[in-house]
Amino acid sequence: MKNEVRGEPRQLLLHPYPKRGTAKSPDRVGFPPRPRKGKEEDANEEALDALTRMNEVTARIQELGEALIDPTNLWSNLANAWDRAEREEDPRMAEIVRQAGELIPVLKAFRERIRRVLRRHRELTSLDRVQEMDQGSMRWLSRQPGRTIAERAGANQRILAVVRHEDFDTLENRVAHSYLHLAGDVGREWLREHPRAQSSKRFQSVASFVKLCKTIATDLADMGIARATTDITPNYVLMENQTYRLIREAWEALLKREKALDELWAWQAQTWTDFSVLAIVLALHDLPDAELIAQAPISFREEAVNGVWFDQERPIAVFWLKNIGRVVEVMARPEKPGTLLTLSRAHVALRISSPFDDSAFAHRVAVWTPHALSRLPTQESATNAVSRLAELRRVPGQTELIRHGLVLMPGHHEPDAASAEKDGAFAEAIAFDAVGSSLAHGREAIRGFLHRDIWGAT
């Protein structure tokens, strides 16, 4: 976030988490690396918990992409999706869930008709079973002692001849083998993240899919089929055969997801900010007297860029609060944040104004969205926020004030809320998560904050 303060340029920079535990410029050390597929037992508990939380937050944001199918009911549809997320027995949709529903019949068809090739080898073969000889076997025969073929065959009556053997170790089968192992690892991770959803259809579907993948992968290993590397060039079978093409496309989708996870891991703080913005918009949407009067176009990406899943104009949404006569704009990463918001170091703000009073200046509520891999203290966060608000009130020459503040931070599945007041300003810190009762607690706490006196004199 860029701006000028008293004529001097200011930048608020966010540095990503190190992908491998350490990084420089600035120095970042002691961070857990992202757990790798199939090596979860080597990862520490902190990293596994962080990966689970990251996937949960990502799932809530991806539900925005699904809700955008019907833009006129965007926020209602997103609210319904988050309501379902509060019930942990209704687990999140994911690529592996989709594949479990679509590829089980494909894998069963693959197992019944695994492609094979006949490869030619030279072997000592009984005379009565010889069907083919090539130049090499003819040269071998010519070097054997004897005048007739029977004499040259020796006492065992065997000569070097060309034989054909079935071979399953083809490129397309290697791709299938690699896919089965990757799908099994991704599926087990998804099951581990949803222990309370064992009675759901999605959980049972993924569990059956993982079991099938393991069974077929064992069969392929017994056939001597190796695994393909990720840089292979698809052959004709992988491109044109329907069964193998679907397996290849599913493999590439999971590989793409695995590559994207590194970026998501590094930029979790950005993703958390997007999640917090959506939580605020939904809380405003839930207010009984709130009317959505403007909504910015939202462009949802197939892949996150530096942790950001969607682009939108500023503000992302504008609400009219009829009962108190206020217009509230939700500003996320504003292009021109102004002096006070720059000094506050908040990436999000609510801009509140009164259309009936031309002499009244708009004011803002700063929203901080800190993210850390360890849990942040809620009371200390609220106290620090209100102290920063008190400092901002002493900045001279400002017409648009920041009156109150809200801190939204990960709860590490221990939801909590705390508040602090100082010099007529108050700040509230809410720790919550993106699933289950912790999500429900956070959404209710944000709605409670919006019912406080943050709107200015009426």
Side-chain angles (χ1 to χ4, degrees):
M1 195 163 67
K2 300 178 180 179
N3 195 47
E4 287 190 358
V5 177
R6 302 185 185 94
E8 297 181 1
R10 292 286 185 94
Q11 283 186 303
L12 182 59
L13 301 178
L14 175 64
H15 296 282
Y17 293 138
K19 297 179 182 178
R20 297 293 180 267
T22 60
K24 295 185 178 296
S25 300
D27 290 339
R28 284 153 285 163
V29 297
F31 289 84
R34 179 176 70 83
R36 299 290 158 178
K37 290 291 176 290
K39 298 182 179 180
E40 287 84 359
E41 65 277 2
D42 299 332
N44 61 41
E45 198 66 29
E46 181 186 11
L48 289 173
D49 291 343
L51 180 63
T52 298
R53 293 192 301 271
M54 182 189 80
N55 288 336
E56 292 167 352
V57 171
T58 301
R60 299 291 78 76
I61 294 177
Q62 288 178 332
E63 286 166 346
L64 173 67
E66 298 173 8
L68 281 168
I69 296 174
D70 181 10
T72 57
N73 297 303
L74 169 61
W75 302 112
S76 297
N77 291 339
L78 185 60
N80 292 334
W82 284 32
D83 290 342
R84 292 191 296 271
E86 293 178 3
R87 304 187 297 272
E88 291 186 81
E89 65 274 10
D90 186 10
R92 66 179 172 88
M93 187 61 177
E95 176 64 25
I96 193 63
V97 178
R98 184 190 66 79
Q99 293 190 11
E102 297 178 1
L103 264 75
I104 286 181
V106 174
L107 292 181
K108 289 181 178 179
F110 162 75
R111 182 169 58 176
E112 296 298 324
R113 296 185 295 273
I114 299 178
R115 283 181 59 85
R116 66 205 73 183
V117 295
L118 291 175
R119 301 197 187 277
R120 302 166 77 247
H121 303 276
R122 297 190 192 102
E123 294 181 3
L124 288 174
T125 309
S126 298
L127 278 176
D128 59 347
R129 301 188 64 184
V130 173
Q131 295 182 340
E132 182 182 353
M133 296 184 71
D134 61 5
Q135 291 182 353
S137 57
M138 294 293 289
R139 285 195 296 269
W140 177 90
L141 183 63
S142 67
R143 292 194 295 266
Q144 306 309 308
R147 291 174 296 176
T148 66
I149 292 179
E151 290 177 356
R152 294 173 186 271
N156 293 329
Q157 290 294 284
R158 296 163 68 90
I159 64 173
L160 194 67
V162 175
V163 296
R164 298 173 183 268
H165 290 296
E166 286 186 341
D167 189 356
F168 292 91
D169 192 21
T170 62
L171 177 61
E172 56 268 23
N173 288 337
R174 290 182 178 184
V175 168
H177 197 185
S178 293
Y179 167 70
L180 291 168
H181 279 275
L182 180 58
D185 291 339
V186 174
R188 280 186 288 272
E189 176 192 301
W190 189 91
L191 295 174
R192 179 181 59 81
E193 293 176 355
H194 300 86
R196 300 183 183 179
Q198 296 185 19
S199 60
S200 69
K201 291 182 179 180
R202 285 181 179 175
F203 189 97
Q204 294 170 4
S205 175
V206 173
S208 299
F209 185 65
V210 169
K211 184 177 180 180
L212 179 62
C213 288
K214 182 179 179 181
T215 300
I216 301 179
T218 301
D219 293 342
L220 298 188
D222 293 340
M223 294 177 185
I225 300 173
R227 297 193 214 175
T229 58
T230 58
D231 58 349
I232 61 101
T233 300
N235 60 13
Y236 180 83
V237 176
L238 289 169
M239 297 292 290
E240 300 299 333
N241 181 280
Q242 182 179 9
T243 298
Y244 282 94
R245 177 175 55 80
L246 291 173
I247 292 174
R248 174 184 61 82
E249 290 172 350
W251 183 52
E252 291 173 347
L254 292 183
L255 288 175
K256 187 177 180 181
R257 172 190 178 274
E258 185 71 9
K259 182 179 179 180
L261 282 178
D262 274 338
E263 288 299 311
L264 287 175
W265 180 267
W267 295 99
Q268 291 181 64
Q270 291 274 49
T271 309
W272 176 258
T273 296
D274 283 346
F275 168 76
S276 300
V277 170
L278 297 181
I280 292 170
V281 174
L282 289 180
L284 285 165
H285 184 268
D286 289 342
L287 292 178
D289 65 326
E291 179 183 344
L292 180 68
I293 57 175
Q295 175 183 309
I298 298 175
S299 175
F300 198 86
R301 299 177 173 135
E302 291 186 4
E303 293 184 30
V305 177
N306 293 340
V308 178
W309 281 95
F310 57 89
D311 289 323
Q312 90 284 331
E313 299 296 329
R314 284 79 167 178
I316 186 173
V318 181
F319 290 89
W320 164 241
L321 305 183
K322 293 175 284 188
N323 291 349
I324 59 175
R326 292 292 183 272
V327 173
V328 54
E329 305 167 46
V330 182
M331 310 291 294
R333 303 186 185 94
E335 295 177 345
K336 297 180 179 180
T339 298
L340 291 184
L341 196 60
T342 301
L343 293 175
S344 74
R345 303 175 186 174
H347 282 91
V348 184
L350 301 180
R351 186 177 185 273
I352 301 168
S353 59
S354 172
F356 304 122
D357 187 354
D358 295 336
S359 62
F361 291 108
H363 71 276
R364 300 195 188 198
V365 174
V367 181
W368 292 273
T369 57
H371 186 280
L373 295 181
S374 57
R375 196 178 189 282
L376 299 172
T378 50
Q379 186 59 61
E380 181 179 337
S381 298
T383 302
N384 291 340
V386 81
S387 296
R388 175 56 61 88
L389 292 174
E391 294 173 2
L392 295 176
R393 288 196 168 195
R394 293 193 288 270
V395 176
Q398 304 303 312
T399 56
E400 189 170 298
L401 302 178
I402 296 181
R403 292 185 174 176
H404 307 292
L406 176 64
V407 184
L408 300 178
M409 53 192 179
H412 293 238
H413 296 288
E414 295 179 8
D416 191 18
S419 61
E421 296 188 25
K422 185 176 182 179
D423 298 337
F426 64 83
E428 189 160 339
I430 300 172
F432 69 119
D433 298 280
V435 72
S437 59
S438 186
L439 174 61
H441 174 276
R443 294 176 68 190
E444 184 61 33
I446 296 172
R447 287 191 287 263
F449 175 81
L450 296 177
H451 280 98
R452 298 187 66 175
D453 185 18
I454 65 172
W455 310 107
T458 56

